[in-house]
Amino acid sequence: MAAAGSPRSAPRGLTGRAFKPRPAANGAGAGAVMEPRAPSGTGRPSWGLLLARGHGPLGFSSSSQLLPPENADPQRTAFLLRKQWTLYSVTPLYRFSNAHLRNYSRLLSAFIAAERQKGWAVEVGVELDIKVAVSSLPDLKGSDQDHAAVLVEVRSLPSPQKTSQEKRIWSGWFCCVCGDDFFENMPEDFTCLPLFLANGAESYTAIVGSWFQKTFDCCFHRLAISPLNLSWMAAMWTGCKVDKTASAMELIFSVPGLLQPLDISYAIHPEDAKALWDTVQKTPGEITQEEVDIFMDCLYSHFHRHFKIRLSAAKLVKVSTAIASAHCDGIIKFLQSQYLIGVLRLLTELAISQIQ
Amino acid sequence: MQRRQSSKTPKQPLQGHHKNQTDLSAWCKGGRTDPEKSVENHQTPNSQKNDRQQDSLEQALCYFEKLQDRVSLKKNSVLQQHLATVESIALQRGLPPEGFDVLLNVALSGKFADTVNTCLLKSLVPASVIPESSIISSVSWLCVGKCSGNIQLLFLKWLITVFDFIDHKEQIHALYGFFFSFLQDEKMCPYVCHLLYLLTRKENGESIQWCEMEYYFGMQSHLQALLSLYKLFCPELVTITLPGKMKTYFKNSEGPWKAAINAIRRRSQGNSPLSQPLFLGTAQPQSRKRKWNTQLFIPASSTNRNNLEQDSGKNHVDLYSANKSFPVEQLQTFPQLLENIHHLEFPSQMGSVLTNPLLLHYMNCIKDESVYLRLNYWMGQTLQEECTWCVADNQYEDEFKDFLETVYKTECFLQEGFSSCEEFLYKSLPLWDGFCCRSQILRLVSWIPLGNFSEMKSHLYDPLAQLFFTSSLYFKCSVLESLKELLQNWLNWHVIHLDSASDSQVCSLNTTLSGLVNVVAELIQFVGWISTVALRLENNPTFLLYFILDFYETVCDMYLRYSLPLLIMPPAGVFYPALLSMDSVSLNQLCYIMYRYRTNLVAAKENEQSKKKILQFKFSSQTYQEYNQYIIAMVGCLWTSTAFQKDIHPQGLRMDEELLKKTAMQELKTSFNIVYHPAMMGYAVLFLQQVMGWANIWGKKWNWYLEYLYTQGLKGLKLFIESSINRVSQASRSKAGNTQA
């Protein structure tokens, strides 16, 4: 019993996870986020209420910060673009080490083989038809403190009879962009890669995820994006410059409380949207909740004038711009490599707020 | 998680029929269930068909079970029919666990010709699991050698294919030697090798030598496989060198079963409710539970392979060779824990400690931050994802309830709250309806660690107060109960911390004495406030008063029992309803509390005067003043009958003479003394009935009456009167009189 005194205080002080009281002046957003039972909700409340700070979502304040670090080669991350990634949040990995990536590849492929054969007698000596590679993606980080992103790929091997090529059948990556605040005070046994993105069959996500959970004692959970965060993305991405003539900005709303699903798509010419945003934004490089609200309200009232439909009563489910597109179910598609890091930074913060 | 899924899925489609199936033996003895009746019960044509099939399968199994003598197939149409039934049902839906025993017994006993036996064996497609007992009896048939070599081979092939469907394997492992002896049979050898390969464990290494000998002669690949496995387990015992790579060790022994099992599995998954798409709000597929990783699941303890792997990376130690750490799976008893405590490692997933008391013991004595961190991350995520009132479409309330219960028990065991649990409560209480998982949530509240006040107020007190005022009397009592537990847990924590503080200099903001005093004071004030309001809302029920006074029983003793320099008097809104309560229980409780306040205050006063150095904490004179006001009111009420004159509390009983006269009541003064007090009147009447002839209680009788009250169990009253009332007649007994300090 004498020993019990000390560990008692340990978890609190050490995690630095003392629950931050919500700022009082965020009435605007609170209503939308705090209604988990509303049929229009994403199914889970956004705990942290992260966006209601003075400086944009979690200090994501400057559009200049959307630019990638200078040394990054866009070619090396090009394969991440134009794919649908399902988002997960991941608690810190326990005893994960970059030095053992090759070992992890081997263990993980054995695990996948075992899982696929589950329920059958072991067939010894049968060659695996898949190959698993765990590798590091050093380009994907926001600051020097960030852990390098980790890529997991499952490839199907060509069968000897056919001359087909190796094919990527599933891929997923862990990353952390500017998560410094989060892993301050983190003991060294833990590796913070709070955001996980997966592309491919969910059965593989399940197997790979289970292996990571078992091996590194972490938890994966789907990362939904609340309508409030989606509107932030809409505003933020509107303000970004894109070289080529960009595609239209599209907002998709779903109307709650109907027997038949009804989606409303609202497309805006990117230059019009940019012009509107420029009139709303007071200080370049800084975004506030108020500005986002004004921006969205302007769009809503414009829509109302033409169609007599109040979009504010519907639920924003998807935002697509030239930078990226995001769905409230937690699915993202990156479209511009120069803004990849910036978008990841925002997603990292969303993931951190979910696991904190 | 994976294990759970895989064992669950094949079972799913059967659940509707299980009742019938498990009744098989009863049915055999007691005759058939009425088919017409069951048709009435199940109106859909599909289930009618199922029922008919069910009946015919039962008939067939019964037939096979009762079979005594050898029967030939050709002449026997009954046998043909039953055989066809078993075959078709097996291929369609698989056989229930009960069927295997019967059919294996028949097939291996040699009662039939080999064609029938083959047919039976080929039909042995499991729908869910295969009971271990049926395998054991089959092996005994093999040993007796009643069946032909072909049937033996077929059985072995079948056993290899369905190996993972067998529900337990302990007893089969015990038969290792029997299987090993079959190796001598040339035909059976490859399959037996495969089977042994599946069965072999580390301790089976002693069989190596014979195996090696055989291998010298034949170099068969199946023996090589077995040897390579032995080598893996006991490298020191295998003397021969094996060729490096070999592609296929074992012949494919899937036989006809694998395809059938696959087909059944596919079909059953199609029908199972779990995999059916939910048609609620098709716009957003929110069938959360179907998604990976969305089941509430406490992982099983398993050794941290990750560490082993990393070690082996350094010095090439084989995974299975004698490693230093003791595998947690083998930890079964407390002595084992004590023996291995220095080379025990936590499981790969910390969540598993929740269901493992031994590991909780271990956790209690290991001061490793990462242990708590890992557990907290896991628990925080699980609570957040599974919370039934925070996550839409989550109907798994019972599961969640059990989980909360487990968490609470763990907290009790470790005698401390988890920070993840605290955060969960802070986040979810504002959304809570006060009904779902009520007792679990309120019990978890009692383990909230000490925090700072602003946090507690906005995240605990405010949402709790809202629910408290709008909910039933029972809810109010439960809240008070759990806040009492919370206070006690904090105080206990403080006492333990006091003991260990001398040797450690850890003094975070939460743990400084002034911080602690403030947080405790806020809690007591909060309870005082909600109690006052609740008493008014509910019209002073005794039940509620009991829980409130119970809370103050802890409060009044904090200085002496928990060495906390803090005493807070109950608010007038609690004190006066208790004093004027209709119930002697409340009054007695109040007397006891006031007695303890007195004892604590006197002790504090003495301490202050005796110690020369300036104490960091002194009770404010306000506390003494409040106590004195209450004691005057109480003594005035119960003893001197002067409550209306002497009560000086602003919210007290003091009333003008004029006003009292207007009530036109007689003997108003005495109406609250220990004789006439509504809570005591009953005692007075009984007392007078016992000592007949007296009309009133005065003088000596007053003392006798007091003695009578004490014998009636009013211990609190006794302590109060003996300590706080300066009795002229017994001045020697009560020492200091009241505390006009």
Side-chain angles (χ1 to χ4, degrees), chain B residues 632-643:
Chain B
I632 289 168
M634 244 175 123
V635 174
C637 240
L638 301 175
W639 199 258
T640 57
S641 307
T642 51

Side-chain angles (χ1 to χ4, degrees), chain B residues 71-88:
Chain B
V71 186
S72 84
L73 181 62
K74 276 174 193 164
K75 293 164 197 165
N76 194 333
S77 64
V78 185
L79 173 60
Q80 280 171 357
Q81 188 203 328
H82 285 316
L83 209 54
T85 309
V86 171
E87 201 175 355
S88 73

Side-chain angles (χ1 to χ4, degrees), chain A residues 8 12 14-15 17 19 43-45 47 94-95 106 120-121 124-125 202 213 217 220-221 356, chain B residues 160 164 247 249 292-293 306-307 309 350 369 373-374 381 384-385 390 392 415-416 422-423 427 493:
Chain A
R8 178 160 294 139
R12 274 194 70 88
L14 166 118
T15 57
R17 298 209 297 149
F19 188 63
R44 58 197 80 201
W47 297 102
Y94 179 65
R95 293 200 179 162
R106 200 165 49 77
W120 306 113
V124 185
E202 199 187 336
Q213 288 192 151
D217 204 0
F220 284 66
H221 279 299
Q356 242 179 343
Chain B
I160 292 164
D164 281 355
K247 276 226 166 151
Y249 290 127
W292 162 64
N293 215 17
N306 186 17
N307 297 338
E309 181 54 33
M350 274 307 288
E369 297 159 350
L373 198 52
R374 285 162 71 192
Q381 289 292 290
Q384 178 176 325
E385 286 294 314
C390 295
Q415 286 289 300
E416 67 178 296
E422 175 194 9
E423 275 158 38
K427 287 165 181 172
W493 178 86

Side-chain angles (χ1 to χ4, degrees), chain B residues 33-272:
Chain B
T33 47
D34 188 358
E36 282 169 323
K37 210 174 180 182
S38 52
V39 171
E40 272 173 16
N41 290 341
H42 310 278
Q43 289 301 323
T44 57
N46 205 9
S47 65
Q48 277 182 29
K49 192 179 139 209
N50 280 348
D51 273 8
R52 228 172 291 132
Q53 281 186 342
Q54 197 63 48
D55 284 345
S56 50
L57 179 64
E58 281 169 6
Q59 274 177 314
L61 290 177
C62 229
Y63 169 82
F64 285 120
E65 198 176 15
K66 286 181 178 166
L67 205 69
Q68 293 293 333
D69 315 306
R70 281 192 73 114
V71 186
S72 84
L73 181 62
K74 276 174 193 164
K75 293 164 197 165
N76 194 333
S77 64
V78 185
L79 173 60
Q80 280 171 357
Q81 188 203 328
H82 285 316
L83 209 54
T85 309
V86 171
E87 201 175 355
S88 73
I89 290 179
L91 289 178
Q92 262 179 35
R93 293 174 12 208
L95 295 177
E98 298 82 10
F100 288 93
D101 209 23
V102 179
L103 295 181
L104 279 169
N105 271 335
V106 176
L108 300 176
S109 63
K111 281 178 192 164
F112 293 116
D114 271 8
T115 43
V116 180
N117 294 338
T118 312
C119 180
L120 281 175
L121 277 176
K122 283 186 175 170
S123 312
L124 291 176
V125 181
S128 54
V129 292
I130 300 171
E132 186 185 24
S133 55
S134 63
I135 307 294
I136 301 296
S137 61
S138 311
V139 175
S140 68
W141 280 117
L142 278 202
C143 294
V144 197
K146 288 238 176 168
C147 52
S148 70
N150 283 337
I151 294 300
Q152 285 179 339
L153 280 190
L154 193 62
F155 169 74
L156 285 176
K157 283 184 193 174
W158 172 79
L159 189 54
I160 292 164
T161 313
V162 301
F163 190 74
D164 281 355
F165 285 92
I166 302 169
D167 55 358
H168 303 289
K169 300 199 180 74
E170 276 315 302
Q171 291 181 34
I172 299 180
H173 275 289
L175 295 179
Y176 193 88
F178 282 91
F179 288 114
F180 200 85
S181 68
F182 290 136
L183 276 178
Q184 292 170 19
D185 185 310
E186 209 174 298
K187 271 187 186 165
M188 278 161 80
C189 182
Y191 300 103
V192 174
C193 269
H194 195 166
L195 192 63
L196 288 173
Y197 189 92
L198 299 176
L199 278 173
T200 300
R201 291 172 177 173
K202 206 176 165 181
E203 64 268 19
N204 296 120
E206 71 275 5
S207 332
I208 290 172
Q209 282 187 338
W210 183 87
C211 207
E212 273 188 14
M213 234 165 60
E214 277 297 296
Y215 182 65
Y216 273 127
F217 295 114
M219 296 285 274
Q220 297 105 323
S221 63
H222 45 266
L223 280 171
Q224 187 197 331
L226 194 55
L227 274 174
S228 68
L229 188 67
Y230 288 144
K231 188 161 187 171
L232 193 65
F233 286 135
C234 315
E236 69 283 359
L237 290 179
V238 178
T239 53
I240 56 168
T241 39
L242 296 163
K245 271 201 172 176
M246 182 84 186
K247 276 226 166 151
T248 314
Y249 290 127
F250 299 120
K251 283 180 191 167
N252 184 356
S253 52
E254 283 161 13
W257 302 283
K258 191 166 179 174
I261 296 173
N262 255 343
I264 288 168
R265 185 180 275 188
R266 225 176 297 122
R267 230 173 287 145
S268 68
Q269 273 169 355
N271 296 335
S272 89

Side-chain angles (χ1 to χ4, degrees), chain A residues 9, chain B residues 450 493-494 497 506-516:
Chain A
S9 59
Chain B
L450 277 160
W493 178 86
H494 165 67
H497 193 76
V506 194
C507 247
S508 75
L509 192 137
N510 297 328
T511 56
T512 57
L513 192 55
S514 67
L516 177 78

Side-chain angles (χ1 to χ4, degrees), chain A residues 185-200:
Chain A
N185 305 324
M186 189 67 72
E188 58 177 329
D189 272 343
F190 292 87
T191 303
C192 292
L193 288 166
L195 182 64
F196 179 71
L197 304 94
N199 171 264

